[in-house]
Amino acid sequence: MPFLSNIGLQEELPYEYLRNVYSTILLKDVVARENIRNVSFLENLVTYLADNTGSFFSASNISKYLKSQRVDISP
């Protein structure tokens, strides 16, 4: 995120910039390129992976997380 250094540490601008980068990369590029229909599932998966960066996880751990979020899917 090279542009973050130009924004500075103002209250809302860095968060808005990061949300827009996330939206552009995940929602526009990945969803469009891979023809993903279940976007909410992808967002839940990305949230789980971001929260668990640096720790080990498995398909069953992802499944447990998604079930806790009321998304029923098998490992």
Side-chain angles (χ1 to χ4, degrees):
M1 311 305 141
F3 191 71
L4 276 178
S5 62
N6 296 335
I7 292 176
L9 297 176
Q10 299 168 358
E11 184 67 29
E12 193 60 32
L13 288 178
Y15 295 112
E16 182 178 341
Y17 174 72
L18 291 175
R19 276 191 297 267
N20 290 333
V21 169
Y22 169 82
S23 176
T24 300
I25 292 172
L26 183 70
L27 299 180
K28 292 181 182 172
D29 295 343
V30 175
V31 170
R33 183 180 328 124
E34 301 298 329
N35 296 323
I36 295 174
R37 293 176 291 189
N38 194 348
V39 177
S40 63
F41 169 75
L42 179 63
E43 288 177 333
N44 284 336
L45 180 61
V46 169
T47 300
Y48 174 79
L49 295 174
D51 287 343
N52 291 294
T53 300
S55 57
F56 293 110
F57 51 85
S58 64
S60 63
N61 289 349
I62 294 171
S63 178
K64 288 177 188 175
Y65 168 75
L66 293 172
K67 284 181 183 177
S68 74
Q69 299 297 312
R70 296 188 179 108
V71 177
D72 189 28
I73 193 162
S74 65

